[in-house]
Amino acid sequence: MSTYYKAFFMALITAYFLTPFAKWVAKKIGAIDVPKDNRRVHKKPIPRLGGLAIYLATLISMLIFLPIDRTVISIIIGSTIIVITGIVDDTKSISPKLKLFAQIVAASILVVGGIKIEFLTNPFDKGDGLLYLKAFSIPITIFWVVGITNTMNLIDGLDGLASGVGAISALSLLFVASKFGYVPVMILCAILAGSALGFLPHNFNPAKIFMGDTGALFLGYMLSAIAILGVMKSVAAITIVIPILALGLPIFDTTFAIFRRFINGRPIMEADKGHLHHRLLDKGLSQKQTVLVLYMISILLGILAFILTGMEPEKGVIVSGLILTIILLGASSIGLIDLRRERISKSDNIES
């Protein structure tokens, strides 16, 4: 059995059996989601510290299957800061500014560890095809990490959604990294996917435990780092498009939400009920059906990312344009970018 399979199943089994422990810890420290208003679909208190199991399973598997170098150490330290922030927020709630500060610190640690976006590919450049970011490398890296970290948190709105999409995104990046021969990145992808899937049986509708900010922020942070290591350090024709597609569901859903709130004069960080899963629920789909549809969309985007990897520059640009057009048309048809009015949804299916 290859190292990838061993790492995947090690993480999966560990996360599965650590989740009851996370549930016990949640009850001890008061990390409980109590349904106090009509935004909650659950009728009884649910522990929301499942992300602790995902984190521990990932950490244990990384220590076993990856060489402990500067890169791995920076990921461990940065993700630990994210998890500690999430635990505090799931227990007592912290201010958005403090949470953002912690995320910036965690992102900066990746930069110190050598994980940064140093260049972007330019498919129209007849030379080496690279646009070196130089002084902009650090701020762009921090923006990417903080942004992806929060996109995963923003789609954590239905039982099993964030954990399933996180696993699919990790597997998509695994296949992309395999084209470049990035073995350590492939192992890390397998570990993260296994940890998320090991937690999923406890979290799928009806959920016995939520991952909370602890898990959603951790998954987003890890995926942002993996995308840099597994794609953005390559010289593929369109490196920026590939990770955006592999992480497409949370990225596009969050992007549409930002534009929707901005046009309607609402705070960008204010929660609303216009996300993709809300739209599908409005169409009459059940929670399980909605989550399964979103899994399929995420898988499709991952396949497209894999197809684009290594494609000739001219073809890659054309295909990327077609994909973006289809996404925009689909988002418009379902109401994700309906900017003419503020839609009030009857869907209150917010997990945490």
Side-chain angles (χ1 to χ4, degrees):
M1 185 182 292
S2 72
T3 304
Y4 316 114
Y5 291 107
K6 291 178 182 178
F8 173 82
F9 285 109
M10 171 72 182
L12 186 149
I13 294 169
T14 305
Y16 180 82
F17 286 106
L18 280 179
T19 300
F21 167 73
K23 187 186 300 184
W24 176 83
V25 173
K27 292 179 179 178
K28 284 291 184 181
I29 66 176
I32 306 293
D33 193 316
V34 179
K36 296 179 180 179
D37 52 50
N38 61 1
R39 297 178 65 214
R40 304 303 198 259
V41 294
H42 53 288
K43 304 302 181 183
K44 59 181 181 180
I46 304 272
R48 56 179 176 191
L49 206 61
L52 180 61
I54 299 175
Y55 163 73
L56 291 175
T58 301
L59 177 61
I60 292 170
S61 301
M62 286 175 65
L63 293 175
I64 293 174
F65 292 101
L66 289 174
I68 307 303
D69 55 15
R70 177 186 172 194
T71 298
V72 172
I73 291 173
S74 68
I75 292 175
I76 290 174
I77 295 174
S79 64
T80 301
I81 292 173
I82 291 293
V83 168
I84 291 173
T85 304
I87 291 173
V88 174
D89 196 40
D90 286 333
T91 307
K92 299 179 180 180
S93 186
I94 58 178
S95 70
K97 290 183 179 179
L98 181 56
K99 191 187 298 186
L100 177 61
F101 175 75
Q103 292 169 5
I104 292 174
V105 171
S108 300
I109 289 174
L110 291 181
V111 173
V112 173
I115 304 174
K116 58 182 176 179
I117 305 170
E118 298 177 281
F119 58 81
L120 298 176
T121 51
N122 180 3
F124 303 104
D125 185 358
K126 299 303 181 181
D128 62 4
L130 300 179
L131 174 63
Y132 292 94
L133 299 176
K134 298 181 180 178
F136 295 101
S137 175
I138 293 176
I140 288 177
T141 299
I142 292 175
F143 177 80
W144 168 263
V145 173
V146 172
I148 298 302
T149 298
N150 284 287
T151 59
M152 188 59 66
N153 194 33
L154 289 173
I155 70 159
D156 186 22
L158 294 177
D159 296 348
L161 180 55
S163 50
V165 169
I168 292 168
S169 297
L171 290 173
S172 298
L173 290 171
L174 187 155
F175 286 111
V176 169
S178 70
K179 280 203 169 184
F180 303 123
Y182 297 160
V183 175
V185 178
M186 293 167 64
I187 295 174
L188 185 55
C189 288
I191 289 171
L192 189 64
S195 297
L197 289 176
F199 170 72
L200 186 57
H202 301 277
N203 182 236
F204 200 73
N205 184 261
K208 304 176 186 67
I209 184 172
F210 298 151
M211 67 166 59
D213 277 13
T214 305
L217 294 174
F218 171 73
L219 284 177
Y221 180 82
M222 292 296 293
L223 288 170
S224 70
I226 290 172
I228 295 173
L229 288 170
V231 184
M232 294 181 180
K233 283 187 175 294
S234 72
V235 291
I238 39 179
T239 52
I240 190 62
V241 178
I242 294 170
I244 288 176
L245 285 177
L247 308 175
L249 186 65
I251 288 178
F252 289 120
D253 190 46
T254 300
T255 301
F256 294 143
I258 290 173
F259 278 107
R260 184 174 61 247
R261 294 165 190 171
F262 177 77
I263 294 298
N264 284 288
R266 297 180 59 180
I268 290 177
M269 297 306 294
E270 180 180 277
D272 65 15
K273 300 170 186 174
H275 290 282
L276 179 54
H277 55 273
H278 293 123
R279 302 304 192 194
L280 294 177
L281 290 167
D282 285 346
K283 298 290 184 181
L285 273 64
S286 67
Q287 275 206 63
K288 288 182 179 179
Q289 290 171 336
T290 297
V291 169
L292 292 175
V293 167
L294 295 178
Y295 285 174
M296 294 305 298
I297 292 175
S298 192
I299 290 171
L300 176 60
L301 291 172
I303 292 172
L304 291 173
F306 181 74
I307 292 173
L308 281 174
T309 307
M311 187 175 284
E312 293 179 5
E314 294 78 7
K315 291 182 180 178
V317 171
I318 294 172
V319 172
S320 298
L322 289 173
I323 292 172
L324 179 59
T325 301
I326 293 172
I327 289 173
L328 290 174
L329 290 174
S332 179
S333 67
I334 202 171
L336 281 179
I337 50 177
D338 181 6
L339 305 177
R340 295 170 296 174
R341 59 190 174 89
E342 186 66 49
R343 178 182 174 123
I344 299 175
S345 170
K346 295 181 180 179
S347 302
D348 295 320
N349 300 65
I350 304 297
E351 184 181 80
S352 60

